[in-house]
Amino acid sequence: ETSTVDALEAMKSFSFASMKIPNPVDEPAEPNAKDAGKVLSAAQLYILDGELADAPSVEFWSSLTQGLPHDIRVGGPNDAAELVGELAAIVESRGKSTAAPPVFFVVDNLGRFRDLRKGDDDYNFSPDRSKAASPAKQFVQILKEGPSVGVHVLVWADTYNNASRWMTNQTMRELEMRVAFQMSATDSSHLIDSPVAGRLGQNRALLYLEETGTLEKFRPYGLPSAEWLATINGRFKSDEKEANNTASEIATIPDEDIEVCDDLSSWTVL
């Protein structure tokens, strides 16, 4: 076995100057603080606003374009085909990639968007492959394939009857999380596989998880106020500014010699 003296002699011949510390700038690119800051506001929102003109919240979705730093597109019933087409193209272009920023597609008041309503031949085999997919077919494609590539859908319908007229039962199963408010026991059974929503009172709702088949009762909450949105927007901007400042402070380790210690005999080697 090597004695302690021999080990110390071997250590004396070692020079730290011969070591080259890797420069992090030369390493393969990885997400840094600056990139993380950009991701905070990189998410996109596509919103189909079906609120009626006399609804109390008719201006809410439009106000988000000023209240949040995200890229937000808001359209009405006449814009459904265009926005759904863009989203279907995004889903197709992403393939199996999960690295792209998330996209959220909100459909408020599904019953007002006739372009998304299921048709008699939308889900049957058609020999005409050159025929462009209808907005309804593209909507189903987004529901089925979107979540795996970061495109998520939130749909609200005023009644289960309208939801079932626009979507097949199979399509509804693509909505893995469903919220039921007070409704008939029959509609409840169709929507969340249980008649329990027929016994709900006011200001109560049920969250149903398709994957586990579980139900959780909760108290619904109202729309956020302008003050709340302003606070959130300020936090986004503050976090992004802090991330950019952190990135600018990252220093490159200089490739210069480190002072060499010739005598290691007094060191404690663990």
PDB file of all heavy atoms in Angstrom, residues 214-227:
ATOM      1  N   THR A 214     -63.097  10.568 -10.120  1.00  0.00           N
ATOM      2  CA  THR A 214     -63.399  11.156  -8.805  1.00  0.00           C
ATOM      3  C   THR A 214     -64.127  12.492  -8.963  1.00  0.00           C
ATOM      4  O   THR A 214     -64.004  13.190  -9.976  1.00  0.00           O
ATOM      5  CB  THR A 214     -62.113  11.375  -8.001  1.00  0.00           C
ATOM      6  OG1 THR A 214     -61.200  12.186  -8.766  1.00  0.00           O
ATOM      7  CG2 THR A 214     -61.449  10.041  -7.689  1.00  0.00           C
ATOM      8  N   LEU A 215     -64.873  12.849  -7.913  1.00  0.00           N
ATOM      9  CA  LEU A 215     -65.625  14.100  -7.866  1.00  0.00           C
ATOM     10  C   LEU A 215     -65.205  14.919  -6.652  1.00  0.00           C
ATOM     11  O   LEU A 215     -64.934  14.360  -5.587  1.00  0.00           O
ATOM     12  CB  LEU A 215     -67.120  13.823  -7.777  1.00  0.00           C
ATOM     13  CG  LEU A 215     -67.820  13.289  -9.034  1.00  0.00           C
ATOM     14  CD1 LEU A 215     -69.183  12.725  -8.676  1.00  0.00           C
ATOM     15  CD2 LEU A 215     -67.955  14.385 -10.075  1.00  0.00           C
ATOM     16  N   GLU A 216     -65.149  16.225  -6.823  1.00  0.00           N
ATOM     17  CA  GLU A 216     -64.820  17.107  -5.695  1.00  0.00           C
ATOM     18  C   GLU A 216     -65.721  18.336  -5.758  1.00  0.00           C
ATOM     19  O   GLU A 216     -65.765  19.030  -6.784  1.00  0.00           O
ATOM     20  CB  GLU A 216     -63.358  17.527  -5.736  1.00  0.00           C
ATOM     21  CG  GLU A 216     -62.956  18.407  -4.561  1.00  0.00           C
ATOM     22  CD  GLU A 216     -61.467  18.726  -4.555  1.00  0.00           C
ATOM     23  OE1 GLU A 216     -60.726  18.107  -5.329  1.00  0.00           O
ATOM     24  OE2 GLU A 216     -61.071  19.605  -3.764  1.00  0.00           O
ATOM     25  N   LYS A 217     -66.432  18.598  -4.679  1.00  0.00           N
ATOM     26  CA  LYS A 217     -67.312  19.757  -4.619  1.00  0.00           C
ATOM     27  C   LYS A 217     -66.501  21.002  -4.271  1.00  0.00           C
ATOM     28  O   LYS A 217     -65.571  20.951  -3.460  1.00  0.00           O
ATOM     29  CB  LYS A 217     -68.404  19.545  -3.577  1.00  0.00           C
ATOM     30  CG  LYS A 217     -69.440  20.676  -3.519  1.00  0.00           C
ATOM     31  CD  LYS A 217     -70.441  20.472  -2.392  1.00  0.00           C
ATOM     32  CE  LYS A 217     -71.342  19.297  -2.664  1.00  0.00           C
ATOM     33  NZ  LYS A 217     -72.445  19.207  -1.646  1.00  0.00           N
ATOM     34  N   PHE A 218     -66.843  22.119  -4.894  1.00  0.00           N
ATOM     35  CA  PHE A 218     -66.143  23.364  -4.584  1.00  0.00           C
ATOM     36  C   PHE A 218     -67.094  24.547  -4.758  1.00  0.00           C
ATOM     37  O   PHE A 218     -68.175  24.427  -5.326  1.00  0.00           O
ATOM     38  CB  PHE A 218     -64.892  23.531  -5.461  1.00  0.00           C
ATOM     39  CG  PHE A 218     -65.190  23.781  -6.923  1.00  0.00           C
ATOM     40  CD1 PHE A 218     -65.209  25.068  -7.440  1.00  0.00           C
ATOM     41  CD2 PHE A 218     -65.450  22.725  -7.787  1.00  0.00           C
ATOM     42  CE1 PHE A 218     -65.479  25.307  -8.773  1.00  0.00           C
ATOM     43  CE2 PHE A 218     -65.710  22.941  -9.127  1.00  0.00           C
ATOM     44  CZ  PHE A 218     -65.726  24.242  -9.628  1.00  0.00           C
ATOM     45  N   ARG A 219     -66.658  25.685  -4.264  1.00  0.00           N
ATOM     46  CA  ARG A 219     -67.439  26.919  -4.377  1.00  0.00           C
ATOM     47  C   ARG A 219     -66.898  27.710  -5.572  1.00  0.00           C
ATOM     48  O   ARG A 219     -65.722  28.093  -5.581  1.00  0.00           O
ATOM     49  CB  ARG A 219     -67.324  27.752  -3.105  1.00  0.00           C
ATOM     50  CG  ARG A 219     -68.172  29.028  -3.129  1.00  0.00           C
ATOM     51  CD  ARG A 219     -67.810  29.921  -1.953  1.00  0.00           C
ATOM     52  NE  ARG A 219     -68.135  29.288  -0.688  1.00  0.00           N
ATOM     53  CZ  ARG A 219     -69.314  29.387  -0.082  1.00  0.00           C
ATOM     54  NH1 ARG A 219     -70.275  30.099  -0.643  1.00  0.00           N
ATOM     55  NH2 ARG A 219     -69.530  28.788   1.057  1.00  0.00           N
ATOM     56  N   PRO A 220     -67.702  27.951  -6.581  1.00  0.00           N
ATOM     57  CA  PRO A 220     -67.217  28.712  -7.753  1.00  0.00           C
ATOM     58  C   PRO A 220     -66.806  30.125  -7.352  1.00  0.00           C
ATOM     59  O   PRO A 220     -67.276  30.672  -6.358  1.00  0.00           O
ATOM     60  CB  PRO A 220     -68.435  28.739  -8.681  1.00  0.00           C
ATOM     61  CG  PRO A 220     -69.315  27.621  -8.211  1.00  0.00           C
ATOM     62  CD  PRO A 220     -69.089  27.527  -6.730  1.00  0.00           C
ATOM     63  N   TYR A 221     -65.920  30.696  -8.138  1.00  0.00           N
ATOM     64  CA  TYR A 221     -65.443  32.044  -7.850  1.00  0.00           C
ATOM     65  C   TYR A 221     -65.777  32.957  -9.026  1.00  0.00           C
ATOM     66  O   TYR A 221     -66.009  32.519 -10.153  1.00  0.00           O
ATOM     67  CB  TYR A 221     -63.936  32.050  -7.585  1.00  0.00           C
ATOM     68  CG  TYR A 221     -63.132  31.210  -8.547  1.00  0.00           C
ATOM     69  CD1 TYR A 221     -62.709  31.709  -9.775  1.00  0.00           C
ATOM     70  CD2 TYR A 221     -62.812  29.891  -8.221  1.00  0.00           C
ATOM     71  CE1 TYR A 221     -61.991  30.928 -10.649  1.00  0.00           C
ATOM     72  CE2 TYR A 221     -62.079  29.103  -9.109  1.00  0.00           C
ATOM     73  CZ  TYR A 221     -61.680  29.626 -10.320  1.00  0.00           C
ATOM     74  OH  TYR A 221     -60.966  28.836 -11.190  1.00  0.00           O
ATOM     75  N   GLY A 222     -65.814  34.259  -8.753  1.00  0.00           N
ATOM     76  CA  GLY A 222     -66.185  35.235  -9.771  1.00  0.00           C
ATOM     77  C   GLY A 222     -65.011  35.631 -10.645  1.00  0.00           C
ATOM     78  O   GLY A 222     -63.878  35.166 -10.474  1.00  0.00           O
ATOM     79  N   LEU A 223     -65.285  36.516 -11.588  1.00  0.00           N
ATOM     80  CA  LEU A 223     -64.239  37.005 -12.478  1.00  0.00           C
ATOM     81  C   LEU A 223     -63.272  37.896 -11.695  1.00  0.00           C
ATOM     82  O   LEU A 223     -63.668  38.599 -10.772  1.00  0.00           O
ATOM     83  CB  LEU A 223     -64.854  37.812 -13.625  1.00  0.00           C
ATOM     84  CG  LEU A 223     -65.748  37.038 -14.594  1.00  0.00           C
ATOM     85  CD1 LEU A 223     -66.393  37.993 -15.593  1.00  0.00           C
ATOM     86  CD2 LEU A 223     -64.946  35.974 -15.320  1.00  0.00           C
ATOM     87  N   PRO A 224     -61.992  37.869 -12.052  1.00  0.00           N
ATOM     88  CA  PRO A 224     -61.026  38.729 -11.356  1.00  0.00           C
ATOM     89  C   PRO A 224     -61.287  40.198 -11.650  1.00  0.00           C
ATOM     90  O   PRO A 224     -61.730  40.557 -12.741  1.00  0.00           O
ATOM     91  CB  PRO A 224     -59.672  38.269 -11.929  1.00  0.00           C
ATOM     92  CG  PRO A 224     -59.997  37.672 -13.256  1.00  0.00           C
ATOM     93  CD  PRO A 224     -61.346  37.039 -13.087  1.00  0.00           C
ATOM     94  N   SER A 225     -60.994  41.016 -10.668  1.00  0.00           N
ATOM     95  CA  SER A 225     -61.198  42.454 -10.824  1.00  0.00           C
ATOM     96  C   SER A 225     -60.058  43.071 -11.624  1.00  0.00           C
ATOM     97  O   SER A 225     -59.005  42.452 -11.836  1.00  0.00           O
ATOM     98  CB  SER A 225     -61.272  43.120  -9.447  1.00  0.00           C
ATOM     99  OG  SER A 225     -60.027  42.982  -8.773  1.00  0.00           O
ATOM    100  N   ALA A 226     -60.262  44.313 -12.042  1.00  0.00           N
ATOM    101  CA  ALA A 226     -59.218  45.030 -12.777  1.00  0.00           C
ATOM    102  C   ALA A 226     -57.986  45.227 -11.902  1.00  0.00           C
ATOM    103  O   ALA A 226     -56.845  45.171 -12.380  1.00  0.00           O
ATOM    104  CB  ALA A 226     -59.754  46.376 -13.262  1.00  0.00           C
ATOM    105  N   GLU A 227     -58.196  45.434 -10.606  1.00  0.00           N
ATOM    106  CA  GLU A 227     -57.073  45.616  -9.690  1.00  0.00           C
ATOM    107  C   GLU A 227     -56.256  44.323  -9.578  1.00  0.00           C
ATOM    108  O   GLU A 227     -55.013  44.356  -9.538  1.00  0.00           O
ATOM    109  CB  GLU A 227     -57.574  46.018  -8.298  1.00  0.00           C
ATOM    110  CG  GLU A 227     -58.205  47.400  -8.231  1.00  0.00           C
ATOM    111  CD  GLU A 227     -59.599  47.449  -8.821  1.00  0.00           C
ATOM    112  OE1 GLU A 227     -60.185  46.359  -9.063  1.00  0.00           O
ATOM    113  OE2 GLU A 227     -60.108  48.559  -9.042  1.00  0.00           O
TER     114      GLU A 227
END
